[in-house]
Each structure stands twice: as structure tokens, then as C-alpha cells.
Amino acid sequence: MPHDLPKAYDPAIIEDHWAEYWVREKLFAQPTPAADAAANGEAYTILLPPPNVTGRLHMGHMLNQTEMDILVRWRRMSGRRALWLPGTDHAGIATQMMVERQLTAEGSSRQQLGREAFIARVWEWKRHYGGAILDQMKRLGASVDWQREYFTMDENLSVAVREAFVRLHEQNLIYRGAYIVNWCPRCQTAISDLEVFHEEQKGHLWEIRYPVLGKDGKDSGEFLSVATTRPETMLGDVAVAIHPEDERYLRLHDKKLRLPLMNREIPIILDEWVSRDFGTGAVKVTPAHDPNDFALAERHHLPSINIMDDTGHINAEGGPYAGLDRYVARKKIVQDLEERKLLAGIKDHVNSIGHCDRCKTVVEPRLSTQWFVKIQPLADKAKAAVREKHIRFTPEMYEKTYFEWMENIHDWCISRQLWWGHRIPAWHCAECRKITVTRVDPTACAHCGAKKITQETDVLDTWFSSGLLPVSVFGWPNFGKNNIAGAPGPSHLGTGESSENRADFNAFYPTSLLVTGFDILFFWVARMIMFGCWFAGDVPMPDGSKRTLADSVPFREVYIHALVRDANREKMSKTKGNVLDPIEIVKQYGTDAVRFTLASMASPGTDIAFNIARTEGYRAFANKIWNAARFLFMNVDRAAEIGIVVDPEALGKMPEADADAPLEVRWIVAELLSTAAKVNQSLENYRFDDAANTIYQFFWGSFCDWYLEIVKLRLDFSETADKAKTKAALTTLVQVFETALRLLSPFMPFITEEVWHAVYDGNPPAKSIALTRYPQITQDYNVDYRVGDAHSKMETLQRLVAEVRALRKDIGIDEKLVVPIVLDLTHFANTEDLSLLKGEGLTQQNSDASDDSVGLKQVFESNQDIIRRLARVSDLNFSSIPLTGPNKRSSIDFDLQIIYELTVNVPAERERLTKDIAKYEKNLISAERQLSNEGFLAKAPASVVEGLKKQEAETRLLLEKARAALDNLNKGK
Ligand SMILES: [Zn+2]
Ligand SMILES: [Zn+2]
């Protein structure tokens, strides 16, 4: 990489190049450590929350991955054995839906294909289109170990899933039972409570009259009215319940009813659960289609009648309505009831209706046989792990959310009626009806030996496999024979069984950190904690001792990242049309700028309002660095022409400054040190925003705006130059720049990589800046001694330069003109408050300016060249008496005057001011007219009106100033 960077910074070119290089060179691979792994540094492990194999990168991913990449790059550069492990999730429902949609388009269906062919088809889809999101990650430069990429249906991970299922079954923690589940008639599977979203919908409350039967079993002529929002479910009614103390119905105790339309006799039952205030106070009991009714029926030993099939159509139990879709049946039933005069009333009613999160279909509570994990023992361990602080949440409030959920946890329904996924390893026997669950596919029933066995058709909930990832990606359970204490050796499973797996587990489990969104806190985070504590607890420690709960947890820390909203703080949504595609923004501004935008706003618990204007600003920041690099290389090359060469050995470490080094050297080194300290501290606390902003201030403000300008004075390449001094200045410049690049690298990996290679002119000491050391302040580096009071002195100089610049602007001095200034320090001489001269936290051991204004005068005098250059000053004089006359300004430690004769061409100036006044008046009238136009105000967006008001105020101010100036001009005449 030569010194001559292209003139223009073009992120697209450099980013494509380095992204490809990082992957090709396997730069971030973290192979299985050797036995004496401790020598390579402590591990720092993060699992990438596996995106769905069907997924595409969105802003949430971009934020989450930026945060992870910053942390991993920073830890890696800080000497940790960093591993960021990527993979994708097979995403049962989402992927199956995707392929089913393809089949529908082809006029086929999965049923037509059959299970085996369908699964083959999904694999084929996966080979062609799956994991596109990981390719996006590669382009974005995520520093993951691509050698370790996994897919949750990989064979070794499937072995772990099977082992977990079988082991839980052996421990009597898996059972099968009839249960009311949320059934999606579209996806034709049970879905968990978490996969159902509720929406308020306008519906009706129908009041149906159920005939009361007399003692003779015939209609008594009396009716009991029940209210329902789903009249079709009456086909499955087995009773009507009333409150035992409901005085309206006391006479109906022990009576029976005739179920309308079905002509079935059903009892009236008494239960205190019934609310007397809802509807008529009498509720129909449909155990197969309502969870409360199911519980009620259990208490009263009533049967369940399931009246609906998998597709949401009425089945044979629905008599004359069999075959009808649930909503068609509803209509017909209401009609029939009306005809029979059994409909007492219809009321409007707003209902909270559950929908399938995937396909938006209204879910049907429905009785079905499912597989469950008895969750309590796992939950107890998982709660203890957090209570005992083995896992720490950031922001802390999520710990409370976690406990709330874990306290109310229900058994986990783990079966799904899908084809795509890990098929449950259970076989049903046609002879004895018992179930065989084994690690190896059986050929006969384990109970009666019959050969007529068939495998369970259900697959496991996708979260069952992803919940196991922290243990399974590091080789569990394939550790070889007898490697798992107290566990039936799974060695016969045969895949990947090796001591290498065990070394991986020893080295990387528990992982260090999980970064994820709060929306999967329960789906995934809680389940990983439950499974991790449960299964890893059986794996002995490397030294053979028993693993404690502290070492069984899947991760030591959980960082819950915030939401990315649009610039107006609105949640991004497709319906609102305000979704930002990170890839599009990256194309426009470069990955570095987008990453920096996110980082500069990311802090625990604070949502991010993503504003493109900021990204534009950070692209300008990258450009600024680029130009600084070009300036630097130009000087390095010029220096080389006269034999001045920066010693390569001087690079790659923290620059130092001797006590007698020039002020700007001691100052920039002090700035760099405190920047590094702040950035390390901020990252330690997940304050990405503080870290990013601190570097930004340093690079743009201290380095580019001040230091580069001052250093131009020192880069003397003339015949008469003091070569040693020029070389020293150049060395510090390159050193500081190179260190700052390393500091910035985790945030802007691409531009820093490109420029860093250029700094080394083709001979970099490492393959990548990402493999160098992160700037840290070691304890033996005595900041105070080296840099002394450089910070406070420089601050005073900067204040003087800023004041002169501002005053020049106010007076209207031409930018090219150099002018003399006078400073009065006398009336500051007696001040006892020396803190004005002291920087924050920096002592003045080496200060030669610690003593009132004499010290200040010395600072200004000895740095005259800086003041002259930066403020365009010709002469710097000190006055011993208070300043009189025009062009003055006061600061906290000096008074300042610019010596400048204003010679004005009065007629020309008058003409200019008169023209300006006319222009301002015209603009003002137009603005006022618009702002008093009601029609305009009603239609215009608030931002336009605001802008107009601001413009009006500004114009008014300019007008006043111009009028005053004209007044003065006329008076002075
Ligand atoms: Zn669905
Ligand atoms: Zn059997």
C-alpha cells in the first residue's frame, strides 16, 4: 500500500476491498486452543444471535452487530482471545412458509409433495438463498470467525438437540398431554403464547337462549341465556356454568339444558369462577376451544368435544355444520338460531383477538395433544443463576422483567406441527400404544418389542435448538466416552466426537456476553439460561472438578440494545413507510459512517433516532481523516527527499513527550492519553456514545483543527532547517496519527485499515490494524510528569486564538490580512485563583507558568508563532495599563485589542446598506404575509412553518443591524 492515497475518499471501493480481504485471510478465526491455552490470553466470546436463514439485514441487526463488532474488536486489540461466533437459525415456521409460498405459485403444495420431498426442497432452497444475511454481514466487515459458521440443523447441532430431548425425557421432564394451544389454521401448527399478538377488534356479543328441561326431560318453556363472542363453538358445548350464589339462577341448580341446533342434553354446573357481571352471568362451557373452559371441565370431570379440524373447518362433531369454514359456520349458526327464535340479542363488543405472529391469521384456541417440558426445575436453576449474580443484565431493569416472567412460567409446549425442523425422536407403538424415546433410531418398541412403530410427526419448537446453542456450538455433548459426569455417554451418536470439542468447551464456555433485543428476552435469552444451567452443569471443569452454577451459565453478561427509530423518534414500520434500509444508506455514505452514527447514539436503555444528517456528518468526519492522512503523507514524502525518515520502530506504541518538548507536543500527547482512557472506560460500561464522541472530538477538534495547524510551523524542510527538530515533529505527528487510527479502528474499521496500511507504506507490522494493540494507558506511564500543565496552557492559547478570530470577524477584517494585537494582563496579576491555569486533574510539577500573569505572559510569548499563524497576527504586544480605544474584547484572563484602522468608503457602504435594508424589508413583508395566511398555516407541515418563523426572526435581526449601521454611518459623517 503506497503513501499516495487516492485524492477522494470513496468508501465503496475501500470497504469492498477490505471486507473481502478479512474473510479471505481468515483474520478473525479463533481456532480450538492448544492444551496450554491460558498462555494466549483470556477468552472473550460472543454468540451472534442467529438471524433466521430467511432473513435480511435491517436497522436493528445493524445496531446490534455494530455494538458487538466494536466490543469484539476492542477486546481483541486489548489482548483477549476474542471469538465472535456466527450462524443462522432454521426458523421452522418462517422457512416452511417461504417454501410453501413457492409451491403455491407453482400450483403445488407440501401435501402433494409429501414430507420427504418437501424437506429436500427446503434444503435446496437453503442452499440457493439461505443465509443471504451472513453475506451482508461479510460486506459490512463483521469480525466474526467464519470458520465456525453453523446452521441450527447441522448434524452436530441436531445431535445436541436429540441428546437434550432424550435426557429430559429420561429425567421425567418431558411429557405428552392434551392441552389448549394457540392453533394457527394457516400454518396448521400450535404456536406459543409468545408467538401470538393481540389486537382489539370490533365484534359482537351474541346472546343465545338455551331451553331449560323439565323433570320429564322435555322443554319446560323456560330459557337460560348465555353470551358468547364465538357462537360456532357452541357445537362443542358440554355444559353451562353459573355462579353458585347467583340469586337469579338459584332455581336452576341441578337442571339440564337442551343444546340448541345439536339437540344434546347438557348440565348446568355451579362454579365460583363464573363472573356474575359478564354477559348474562351464565357461560357456555366449551373445553376443547377455550383454556378457561378446559380448566372448568377438568374440575367437573366433563368430556371435551373438539369441533374443528386443523384448517379451521368444522369437523364431523359439528353435525349439520361439518365441512364449513369457522366463519361461514358462525354466520349460518346465527341465522339458524334467529329462525328458531333462540337469539335473545346482539351487542357490539370490542374483543382482543389473538393473531399468528407469522401469517397474521386469527388463532383458534384448540385442544390438541402436544409435547411439553416440565419447566419448573430448569426455571429454578435459571432464577438462581441471576439472583446469585452469575449473570448481569445491562440495563439493569431487565433483571426485574426476567424475574417477573420466570415467576409466572408455564410448562413449555415444545411440539410444532411442521415438517421443517428437528423431528421429535419418539416412536409410537401400534401394538402396546406406548412411546419409545431413544438416542438411536429404534427398530422395535422398547416396551413390547413390536416392529410396528412409527415416528412422531411433530417437530420441535425452533427455540428448543437455539436455546441449546451456547452449549452445542462448543461441542456438547460429543465429548467422547465417559466425558460427561453422570450422563449416559452419548458417544455412540458418532458425529464429531472428539477431545477437540471438549477443548473448545473448556476454552469458550461460559461465553462472555450476549447482545440482543428485548423482544427475545424470553424466547431465547431465558431459555438459553435454563438449558445452559441445566446441561452444562453436568460437564466437569477442565480440572475434573464439579462445575458450579457460576460456571454453568451460558453467558456472564447480557446487554439489551435499544430500538432504532426514525429521525422523528417514530417506530419504523412497513405500514408507516418509514423503514430505513441500512444497506441503502451504506451504499450512499459507507459502512463506517453508518456504524459511527449508530455508535454515537448508542447507550444502555436509550432508543436511537436515526438521522441521515448525522450520517452525512460522519462521512465528512471520515473525509477529514482521509485528508489529514494525505497531508501527513505529503510531508513524510517531502521529508524523505531531504533524508528525514521516521523510524518505523517508533510506531505502534503510545507516543511520549519529554518535559522539554514543545507545548503542542506535550498537549496532543496528553489529549491522546486522556482520550484513550475515556474510550476504554466508556466501552467497559457499554457507553458506545461517549466512546465515539470522545474519539470524534479528539480527531476532529484537537488533532485536525489545532495540532495539524500548529505542526505546519514545525515541518521545516528548508536548507537551513534544524533537521533533528523537523524529524522530531514529524515523528510525533505520525505516532499520534497512527495511535488515533488504532483508537478509532473498532468504530470505523474500513477507513482506519486503509490509512493504517498506507502509514506503513506496504510494510505493516501485522496483517490488519485489527490485530494490533488497542491504545491503553499502562500504570507505569506517568501522565502528569510527562505532560505537566500542557493542557491548561494550550487551553489559554486556544482561547486567545478564538477571541482574536471572533473579534476580527466582528470588525470585518479581511481573512488574508495580518494585524497586530495588544494584550493586557495587568489586572489579572493579583488573582489568587490559580485554577484558571490548571487543567482538569493535571498537576503542575513541571510548570514554569504557575505564578500569576507573569506565567501567562510567558505562555503567550513563548508560543507567539502559534498565535501568529492561527490567529493571523503580525505583532503581539503587552500593555501595562488598561486598554482604551475601539476593537477590544475581554476574557477571563486577558483583555485583548486589535490595532486596526477602519477606512470605509462611505458612499459605497451607504449604498450597500440601503440595498440590504430594502431587500430585508421586502423579505419580511412576504414572510409576514405567509405567516398570517390561515389557509397556508393549516396545510403546511409544522417544520415548514417553524422554518419560516425562524427566517422571519433572522431577517428582522439583520434588518435592525443594517439600519443601525446606516445610522452610525450617517452620524459619523
Ligand atoms: Zn400462522
Ligand atoms: Zn409396544
Side-chain angles (χ1 to χ4, degrees):
M1 182 70 45
H3 267 161
D4 49 336
L5 288 177
K7 194 154 182 237
Y9 162 63
D10 182 351
I13 293 174
I14 63 172
E15 291 183 1
D16 277 340
H17 168 77
W18 291 114
E20 190 269 337
Y21 171 84
W22 294 334
V23 175
R24 171 164 41 87
E25 294 291 321
K26 304 184 175 63
L27 279 196
F28 307 116
Q30 193 56 263
T32 299
D36 58 345
N40 309 335
E42 196 192 334
Y44 183 80
T45 317
I46 297 187
L47 287 197
L48 171 77
N52 285 352
V53 67
T54 52
R56 285 288 185 281
L57 197 99
H58 56 61
M59 239 347 158
H61 293 126
M62 184 87 195
L63 170 65
N64 168 298
Q65 291 175 11
T66 296
E67 290 174 338
M68 277 185 272
D69 199 36
I70 288 172
L71 291 173
V72 170
R73 283 174 181 269
W74 167 58
R75 294 288 191 187
R76 183 184 294 116
M77 290 177 77
S78 303
R80 297 283 289 270
R81 198 147 37 91
L83 168 60
W84 183 14
L85 207 147
T88 45
D89 195 293
H90 67 278
I93 296 184
T95 312
Q96 178 157 329
M97 264 179 71
M98 183 87 87
V99 177
E100 279 188 86
R101 237 181 266 140
Q102 277 188 350
L103 290 175
T104 309
E106 293 164 18
S108 175
S109 72
R110 82 181 147 104
Q111 286 81 3
Q112 268 179 42
L113 234 57
R115 186 164 187 148
E116 227 170 275
F118 177 76
I119 288 170
R121 175 77 191 247
V122 182
W123 278 108
E124 192 190 309
W125 177 90
K126 193 240 164 199
R127 264 193 301 280
H128 279 102
Y129 310 104
I133 192 165
L134 295 187
D135 291 334
Q136 291 178 314
M137 275 184 81
K138 281 178 188 159
R139 166 57 187 82
L140 297 177
S143 69
V144 302
D145 180 352
W146 292 111
Q147 271 50 56
R148 288 176 179 268
E149 182 189 330
Y150 65 82
F151 178 53
T152 48
M153 294 270 282
D154 283 344
E155 203 185 339
N156 56 331
L157 298 190
S158 302
V159 165
V161 167
R162 184 151 182 180
E163 174 65 25
F165 184 92
V166 175
R167 205 180 290 187
L168 288 172
H169 189 261
E170 285 167 350
Q171 293 164 340
N172 286 322
L173 293 176
I174 281 190
Y175 65 93
R176 202 166 172 251
Y179 207 74
I180 294 281
V181 294
N182 304 294
W183 184 267
C184 175
R186 212 301 317 169
C187 300
Q188 292 180 35
T189 179
I191 52 181
S192 78
D193 288 345
L194 296 168
E195 290 163 320
V196 175
F197 70 92
H198 287 268
E199 223 172 58
E200 299 253 297
Q201 271 179 5
K202 279 187 197 157
H204 299 288
L205 195 61
W206 284 274
E207 238 180 82
I208 307 170
R209 307 200 309 162
Y210 284 26
V212 179
L213 298 182
K215 284 211 171 76
D216 54 1
K218 287 185 181 147
D219 287 7
S220 65
E222 201 182 349
F223 295 93
L224 178 58
S225 288
V226 300
T228 177
T229 55
R230 293 187 297 155
E232 67 280 10
T233 59
M234 69 179 290
L235 303 177
D237 282 0
V238 296
V240 168
I242 53 176
H243 194 281
E245 282 146 32
D246 192 336
E247 291 179 355
R248 291 171 293 180
Y249 301 129
L250 290 175
R251 67 181 185 287
L252 295 179
H253 292 192
D254 296 333
K255 290 270 167 63
K256 290 197 168 177
L257 302 169
R258 182 188 312 286
L259 178 63
L261 310 179
M262 298 301 286
N263 282 326
R264 186 158 70 228
E265 257 183 39
I266 55 172
I268 292 174
I269 59 169
L270 309 178
D271 201 289
E272 285 176 350
W273 170 82
V274 177
S275 157
R276 277 172 274 188
D277 311 322
F278 180 77
T280 61
V283 293
K284 55 199 270 321
V285 181
T286 324
H289 296 279
D290 183 282
N292 292 319
D293 293 8
F294 181 71
L296 202 58
E298 293 253 284
R299 282 201 292 280
H300 294 270
H301 308 289
L302 294 167
S304 298
I305 303 173
N306 188 344
I307 54 130
M308 230 175 263
D309 68 9
D310 291 357
T311 63
H313 287 72
I314 306 297
N315 64 17
E317 295 283 0
Y321 303 94
L324 295 181
D325 168 82
R326 53 183 166 160
Y327 297 122
V328 177
R330 178 180 296 180
K331 241 184 181 168
K332 181 100 177 37
I333 286 168
V334 170
Q335 232 172 43
D336 291 350
L337 287 171
E338 212 160 15
E339 272 170 26
R340 292 168 170 76
K341 305 215 169 353
L342 291 174
L343 201 59
I346 308 176
K347 286 187 193 131
D348 287 340
H349 183 74
V350 176
N351 227 349
S352 172
I353 308 256
H355 293 75
C356 171
D357 204 28
R358 286 275 154 220
C359 73
K360 319 302 173 207
T361 304
V362 175
V363 297
E364 198 66 41
R366 177 171 179 265
L367 191 68
S368 66
T369 303
Q370 303 286 346
W371 294 82
F372 292 86
V373 172
K374 204 181 280 175
I375 209 73
Q376 208 55 54
L378 284 80
D380 288 343
K381 258 194 167 186
K383 276 189 283 185
V386 176
R387 203 182 311 116
E388 291 165 22
K389 305 289 174 202
H390 304 313
I391 299 175
R392 195 170 73 97
F393 282 90
T394 304
E396 231 173 305
M397 61 171 187
Y398 285 108
E399 190 181 299
K400 197 170 151 252
T401 321
Y402 171 81
F403 280 122
E404 271 167 15
W405 191 69
M406 294 298 277
E407 292 300 336
N408 296 304
I409 196 165
H410 300 291
D411 282 355
W412 177 12
C413 173
I414 50 169
S415 45
R416 294 290 180 274
Q417 290 65 49
L418 301 172
W419 285 356
W420 176 241
H422 295 102
R423 193 162 171 180
I424 290 180
W427 280 258
H428 301 274
C429 175
E431 297 292 333
C432 73
R433 302 262 152 212
K434 285 185 179 160
I435 291 170
T436 304
V437 172
T438 60
R439 291 180 174 81
V440 193
D441 289 3
T443 51
C445 171
H447 307 282
C448 72
K451 301 270 185 207
K452 278 174 78 181
I453 53 169
T454 48
Q455 189 174 0
E456 170 63 55
T457 52
D458 289 357
V459 300
L460 287 165
D461 180 6
T462 307
W463 299 102
F464 191 92
S465 54
S466 47
L468 284 167
L469 284 172
V471 289
S472 61
V473 292
F474 296 119
W476 184 89
N478 303 316
F479 296 152
K481 255 176 212 149
N482 304 322
N483 250 343
I484 303 173
S491 55
H492 53 275
L493 291 173
T495 48
E497 163 195 322
S498 73
S499 54
E500 202 174 77
N501 287 345
R502 192 51 205 279
D504 255 0
F505 197 90
N506 288 347
F508 299 114
Y509 192 94
T511 67
S512 312
L513 171 69
L514 177 77
V515 181
T516 190
F518 83 97
D519 52 332
I520 53 173
L521 191 56
F522 310 127
F523 275 123
W524 194 44
V525 182
R527 274 145 188 185
M528 280 193 287
I529 299 175
M530 288 192 277
F531 273 176
C533 294
W534 195 256
F535 294 114
D538 289 340
V539 182
M541 294 298 284
D543 65 2
S545 63
K546 188 168 164 37
R547 189 173 289 265
T548 62
L549 188 56
D551 287 318
S552 303
V553 296
F555 27 74
R556 307 232 181 254
E557 297 206 18
V558 180
Y559 177 78
I560 305 287
H561 69 71
L563 277 183
V564 184
R565 297 168 178 271
D566 76 2
N568 301 318
R569 308 208 78 86
E570 298 268 349
K571 219 171 163 174
M572 292 191 198
S573 85
K574 275 186 194 151
T575 30
K576 275 191 232 150
N578 63 344
V579 177
L580 292 171
D581 179 355
I583 300 293
E584 283 307 311
I585 305 173
V586 160
K587 271 186 199 154
Q588 228 176 323
Y589 299 101
T591 310
D592 282 341
V594 179
R595 283 171 67 114
F596 209 84
T597 310
L598 292 167
S600 72
M601 291 189 277
S603 73
T606 314
D607 283 355
I608 289 176
F610 194 96
N611 193 336
I612 289 279
R614 272 184 92 126
T615 314
E616 236 176 282
Y618 292 128
R619 169 157 178 163
F621 176 50
N623 209 41
K624 186 109 178 161
I625 295 166
W626 189 265
N627 289 338
R630 283 175 48 82
F631 166 79
L632 188 137
F633 297 147
M634 188 183 78
N635 283 288
V636 167
D637 293 345
R638 272 179 68 192
E641 283 168 21
I642 58 164
I644 298 174
V645 178
V646 175
D647 182 4
E649 293 295 309
L651 299 182
K653 46 187 131 187
M654 199 51 111
E656 301 194 3
D658 292 332
D660 55 358
L663 175 62
E664 79 276 3
V665 171
R666 288 188 294 133
W667 167 73
I668 195 71
V669 170
E671 291 293 293
L672 185 60
L673 291 175
S674 75
T675 302
K678 265 189 224 162
V679 171
N680 280 292
Q681 187 57 45
S682 302
L683 287 179
E684 204 73 63
N685 298 323
Y686 303 108
R687 291 302 303 259
F688 302 95
D689 54 344
D690 286 348
N693 295 327
T694 303
I695 299 177
Y696 179 88
Q697 296 300 344
F698 173 80
F699 229 131
W700 190 302
S702 304
F703 185 81
C704 291
D705 284 352
W706 291 98
Y707 178 65
L708 275 190
E709 290 307 313
I710 298 171
V711 95
K712 283 174 185 169
L713 291 166
R714 316 288 185 230
L715 298 175
D716 183 356
F717 303 117
S718 65
E719 293 283 307
T720 56
D722 179 338
K723 281 193 179 181
K725 275 190 175 171
T726 305
K727 179 173 175 174
L730 191 67
T731 302
T732 306
L733 171 63
V734 181
Q735 270 185 330
V736 171
F737 185 66
E738 194 270 351
T739 309
L741 287 177
R742 281 183 281 128
L743 205 54
L744 177 64
S745 177
F747 301 83
M748 291 190 152
F750 290 104
I751 186 171
T752 51
E753 183 82 301
E754 174 83 12
V755 173
W756 180 83
H757 280 265
V759 167
Y760 284 95
D761 207 5
N763 285 306
K767 275 186 164 180
S768 163
I769 188 173
L771 303 180
T772 62
R773 295 294 282 200
Y774 201 68
Q776 312 265 5
I777 296 183
T778 52
Q779 278 175 339
D780 57 345
Y781 199 106
N782 189 332
V783 182
D784 291 352
Y785 174 73
R786 308 265 178 174
V787 299
D789 56 356
H791 181 80
S792 60
K793 281 183 175 173
M794 191 65 191
E795 240 182 12
T796 311
L797 267 189
Q798 287 174 325
R799 196 159 52 241
L800 176 60
V801 169
E803 293 290 0
V804 176
R805 283 175 178 169
L807 188 52
R808 289 178 60 118
K809 211 175 165 197
D810 280 4
I811 304 171
I813 299 174
D814 189 279
E815 271 185 43
K816 291 186 199 94
L817 211 60
V818 290
V819 289
I821 61 169
V822 183
L823 288 172
D824 168 24
L825 310 172
T826 52
H827 61 285
F828 300 95
N830 296 325
T831 178
E832 280 166 33
D833 184 8
L834 292 179
S835 66
L836 291 180
L837 287 173
K838 289 179 186 171
E840 305 135 41
L842 295 173
T843 61
Q844 301 200 352
Q845 289 163 15
N846 262 317
S847 169
D848 49 355
S850 56
D851 205 15
D852 65 35
S853 70
V854 181
L856 194 55
K857 188 173 175 193
Q858 210 168 13
V859 174
F860 290 148
E861 275 184 330
S862 57
N863 292 290
Q864 271 197 52
D865 51 350
I866 295 177
I867 300 167
R868 283 170 201 272
R869 181 179 170 86
L870 268 55
R872 306 206 58 76
V873 165
S874 55
D875 278 304
L876 180 67
N877 297 298
F878 295 91
S879 170
S880 52
I881 52 162
L883 301 173
T884 53
N887 305 337
K888 277 191 326 243
R889 190 164 280 229
S890 287
S891 163
I892 48 168
D893 40 17
F894 55 80
D895 279 354
L896 155 74
Q897 185 169 31
I898 292 183
I899 308 301
Y900 182 63
E901 282 290 331
L902 199 64
T903 51
V904 182
N905 177 345
V906 175
E909 185 66 2
R910 184 180 293 133
E911 194 188 326
R912 183 182 71 83
L913 286 168
T914 311
K915 265 192 193 162
D916 280 355
I917 289 170
K919 185 176 75 189
Y920 296 145
E921 282 172 343
K922 202 176 138 206
N923 290 349
L924 203 57
I925 290 167
S926 138
E928 279 167 351
R929 191 184 304 130
Q930 248 183 314
L931 283 172
S932 59
N933 181 344
E934 301 282 340
F936 166 77
L937 291 178
K939 265 191 241 153
S943 61
V944 171
V945 177
E946 276 310 301
L948 205 60
K949 279 186 182 159
K950 203 173 149 218
Q951 207 183 323
E952 188 207 8
E954 282 168 4
T955 311
R956 199 179 291 284
L957 192 71
L958 288 170
L959 178 63
E960 276 164 22
K961 280 194 172 184
R963 278 178 178 159
L966 186 64
D967 234 32
N968 283 334
L969 203 65
N970 289 335
K971 274 184 206 154
K973 187 179 158 191

